[in-house]
Amino acid sequence: MVEPLIFDYSSPGRTTASLPEPDVPVEPIEQLLPASLIRQDLPLPEVSELDVVRHFTRLSQKNACIDTTFYPLGSCTMKYNPRVNEEAARLPGFAQIHPYQDEATVQGALHLIYDLQRYLAEVSGMDAVSLQPAAGAHGELTGMLVVRAYHEARGDRARKRVLIPDSAHGTNPATAKMVGYHVQSIPSDDRGNLDLAALRAALGPDVAALMITIPSTFGLFDEHLAEIMDAIHQAGGLVYGDGANMNAMLGQARLGDLGVDVMHFNLHKTFSTPHGGGGPPAGPVAVKAPLAPFLPVPLAARRERGDGKIEYYLDFDRPQSIGKVKAFYGNFGMMVRAYTYIRSLGREGLEAIGETAVLNANYLMERLRGAYDLYSDRRCKHEFVLSARRQRRTTGVRALDIAKRLIDYGFHPPTIYFPIVVDEALMIEPTETESVQTLDAFAEAMLAIAREAEENPEIVKHAPHTTEIRRLDEVAAVRRPNLRWRPA
Ligand SMILES: *Cc1c(COP(=O)(O)O)cnc(C)c1O
């Protein structure tokens, strides 16, 4: 059933609020606004507060979300957002401060920013961190601007190329291009590693950096990482580590120790802050010491005052900085959540994340092995990639159909058709926050769909059967989005 829109139960004169008559003189609107901005008629729905609450509550219930559904969206790390993070972010001392407030009045907030910079440096083995970037892709842009500034400061202007594995997230090549680099794709070998010979052949004095995702977007830990790092460094290039998917690494290995020079984190993945509609993201950037002077301004810093007391401040005195990349200091509320997450888990808890993320992904991979083709037979890290090429060949059922059928079984589908180098890819990331019962239920659904594909492929090809709207025209939804209600 298609439910009525809020506009459909609009009734003239109904409002959500009744305000008292003003007790000050009312200026005519014509004196406040230019005539061109004044509308005589504004066709907005006239509804009560209850209508509004029901409308938005219903809409929210139509969404799949991590609070209602297992959400194994590979590479996106849709894990639980602990409620204690939300409580901390709503503390008035954090939630109600203003960015123009005097530093002396926001010492607690600055202290938190400073400590979070340090914690992220510690878990990644890097030397300096900026929390400013407002998303993973924005962190990449910031990191690659730092790479460019570093080479330029050394007078090394011949470096025009950035090498990127063919399995990379699409944001990597887009970022390198935006920063003005020529992108060269490096193939993967048949074990899912970066093809070392192809990498070596591509190296030269004009290579600025390699952007490499660790663990890779196949969910694999590259077996030649040390050789890769050495080869890039010997050629005078820098290694950009895409650390968006750090769950598997937490407490286990540090990108800085592996040889990465600059990297970003996704607080909204690894550090459990909400994604997308749940809140703005954050993509902090971490660098090794030689790149630190180029980080955005300001960084949170700490100094001793004349009277011996410690104070925190924003350090704008950084002449080689690439400048600002975000208004004020970034998405502060997300910093509070990530800080709370790290503090509530501690060292042991962070180590357990790495272990459990890998255990959960391998458990699920083993349960599905046999029913679907695996991209790689190796132990995976935080995620693994299945292929529905067998189903497609024998029954015509595609990865898209399997994803849609999962909705009928009550699960959010995994990422599909990515990485693009895998045919009929289904990329599954369970995350460490799921119980074995949930993983088993999902495995049973995937196995049932594999059986259906053989016995009754039509039911899979026409899924979902349980949703209000069945298959969307996804191309039209992107090209011609219809986002606006217009009065009849
Ligand atoms: C999610 C992701 C990104 C981009 O992060 P956004 O916050 O979505 O911009 C980059 N690289 C990898 C490997 C990712 O998984």
Side-chain angles (χ1 to χ4, degrees), residues 74-77 134-138 140 168-172 213 215 217 242-245 264 266 268-269 275 281-283:
S75 202
C76 293
T77 315
H138 195 198
E140 290 174 36
H169 200 270
T171 50
N172 289 189
T213 306
T217 307
D242 183 328
N245 307 129
H264 78 270
N266 278 30
H268 48 296
K269 293 181 183 170
H275 276 243

Side-chain angles (χ1 to χ4, degrees), residues 117 120-130 142-143 146-147 149-150 154 214 229-230 233 237-241 253-265 284-296 299 318 320:
Q117 288 173 184
L120 292 180
E122 172 64 26
V123 296
S124 60
M126 307 296 281
D127 298 316
V129 171
S130 164
T142 306
V146 166
V147 165
Y150 168 83
R154 293 157 43 97
I214 306 171
M229 303 278 173
D230 285 349
H233 288 145
L238 295 172
V239 177
Y240 184 101
R254 308 193 306 170
L255 267 58
D257 298 341
L258 299 172
V260 164
D261 301 294
V262 44
M263 63 170 291
H264 78 270
F265 309 84
V285 170
V287 296
K288 289 280 177 58
L291 283 83
F294 308 102
L295 283 175
L299 294 184
R318 312 186 59 256
Q320 286 187 288

Side-chain angles (χ1 to χ4, degrees), residues 137-202:
H138 195 198
E140 290 174 36
L141 178 69
T142 306
M144 291 306 288
L145 287 170
V146 166
V147 165
R148 195 178 73 184
Y150 168 83
H151 287 308
E152 280 178 2
R154 293 157 43 97
D156 193 349
R157 289 171 190 281
R159 299 191 180 268
K160 302 283 181 219
R161 268 190 304 142
V162 168
L163 310 180
I164 302 181
D166 61 4
S167 60
H169 200 270
T171 50
N172 289 189
T175 295
K177 184 107 203 311
M178 278 181 78
V179 174
Y181 287 116
H182 177 72
V183 174
Q184 184 172 348
S185 176
I186 307 293
S188 309
D189 68 16
D190 52 16
R191 284 184 58 76
N193 295 316
L194 190 60
D195 186 326
L196 206 51
L199 176 74
R200 291 215 162 101

Side-chain angles (χ1 to χ4, degrees), residues 271-341:
F271 296 97
S272 79
T273 72
H275 276 243
V285 170
V287 296
K288 289 280 177 58
L291 283 83
F294 308 102
L295 283 175
V297 277
L299 294 184
R302 185 186 130 108
R303 66 187 162 208
E304 206 178 299
R305 288 193 327 212
D307 61 4
K309 287 220 172 99
I310 296 298
E311 74 177 358
Y312 295 89
Y313 67 103
L314 292 168
D315 183 6
F316 283 89
D317 183 19
R318 312 186 59 256
Q320 286 187 288
S321 165
I322 60 166
K324 284 194 70 64
V325 298
K326 174 84 175 74
F328 301 112
Y329 326 115
N331 288 328
F332 176 67
M334 296 303 132
M335 299 173 202
V336 179
R337 289 171 173 87
Y339 173 92
T340 306
Y341 186 63

